[in-house]
Amino acid sequence: MKIKWLYLFAIILMLTPIPVYAEVQTPMEKLDDISDEALQMVKFHRYEDAKKLLDYFSTQFTSVSGRQQPLSMDEVRIIHTSHDEAMEAAVSPTMDHEERINKLTKFRLVIDAIVTSHQPLWTEMENQIMTAFAHAKNAAINGDSAKFHSSFNTFLSLYNVIYPSMKIDVPAENIQRLDARIKVIDHYRSDILHNEEGRAELDKLDTDLKNLFANMEDDEADPSLWWVIISTGSIIIMTLSYVGFRKYQGEKEVKKNRSREHKD
């Protein structure tokens, strides 16, 4: 009877979800929320409210950086630069709405990249970026100059949005390789359309971009999830091992009693 109950206990452990309790927000996570709110204000054309949030972010960041969560000099510089661009977008009297959104999105993605240890938001732009690049590549193959220039410009605009966040999450040598390929293609646009070597550069950039996002996906597992899996697995293994041991002891005892009865 005890063995049956232990088996039931092991099954319940496997089926019962382990509760995950919400943690208190860190100062950087609060700043992340502020950056998101500022982006939402700009999307709704509430530029003055976005400016107020960005001012508040600046005040809070000054008190947080270097104290609550140490940041590297490069990270601080990237945050300041993207914040300045976001502020420019909020106060400019002439900037068009789409450009404002791009600048606030760039700022939002930077703060998320600082705060998030896995699955940063900028990787969610993979489909947009790869689609724009695919259109440019196909236009080059078909010799459609106007479509190539238009699609490649769209690609550059989207790439520029995620670029500061990439610099936080991606090794410098990988970014340098991407930069070099993009600059070559951008500089020699007319040649890209008329020779095989130019189109080969597009193929190489295509591969590098796919590797960029694939490498980020490989590292997306939440460390806390692995802790849950390992902990649960350990409990189940220990329970089943004990069950097996008790069963073995029971069978051994039965054989011993039978042996004694036979001798008697």
Side-chain angles (χ1 to χ4, degrees), residues 9-21:
F9 175 67
I11 292 170
I12 291 171
L13 277 176
M14 287 187 281
L15 297 178
T16 302
I18 295 177
V20 178
Y21 298 100

Side-chain angles (χ1 to χ4, degrees), residues 13 20 28 46 56 70 101 139-140 160 164 175 203 206 210 217 251-252:
L13 277 176
V20 178
M28 284 304 300
R46 295 170 58 178
Y56 180 61
I101 290 177
N160 183 58
I175 293 199
D203 288 334
D206 192 5
K210 288 175 181 176
E217 289 171 3
E251 290 174 351
K252 189 176 177 182

Side-chain angles (χ1 to χ4, degrees), residues 147-208:
K147 181 68 180 294
F148 171 72
H149 288 299
S150 174
S151 297
F152 195 72
N153 286 341
T154 299
F155 161 74
L156 289 178
S157 178
L158 292 170
Y159 182 78
N160 183 58
V161 170
I162 70 168
Y163 187 72
S165 308
M166 285 170 48
K167 292 175 75 174
I168 293 168
D169 290 326
V170 179
E173 58 271 20
N174 293 0
I175 293 199
Q176 288 168 3
R177 182 169 57 251
L178 278 168
D179 283 351
R181 293 206 191 285
I182 290 172
K183 286 176 182 176
V184 166
I185 294 170
D186 192 27
H187 186 74
Y188 296 102
R189 289 195 186 201
S190 57
D191 295 331
I192 296 293
L193 294 165
H194 300 107
N195 63 64
E196 290 296 326
E197 290 183 3
R199 286 192 282 274
E201 281 299 314
L202 287 173
D203 288 334
K204 291 175 183 176
L205 179 55
D206 192 5
T207 299
D208 285 345

Side-chain angles (χ1 to χ4, degrees), residues 185-239:
I185 294 170
D186 192 27
H187 186 74
Y188 296 102
R189 289 195 186 201
S190 57
D191 295 331
I192 296 293
L193 294 165
H194 300 107
N195 63 64
E196 290 296 326
E197 290 183 3
R199 286 192 282 274
E201 281 299 314
L202 287 173
D203 288 334
K204 291 175 183 176
L205 179 55
D206 192 5
T207 299
D208 285 345
L209 288 170
K210 288 175 181 176
N211 288 339
L212 168 72
F213 290 107
N215 289 339
M216 291 304 299
E217 289 171 3
D218 289 342
D219 193 36
E220 68 182 13
D222 186 347
S224 63
L225 177 60
W226 286 112
W227 183 88
V228 170
I229 292 171
I230 292 170
S231 299
T232 306
S234 299
I235 294 170
I236 292 169
I237 290 170
M238 289 173 63
T239 302

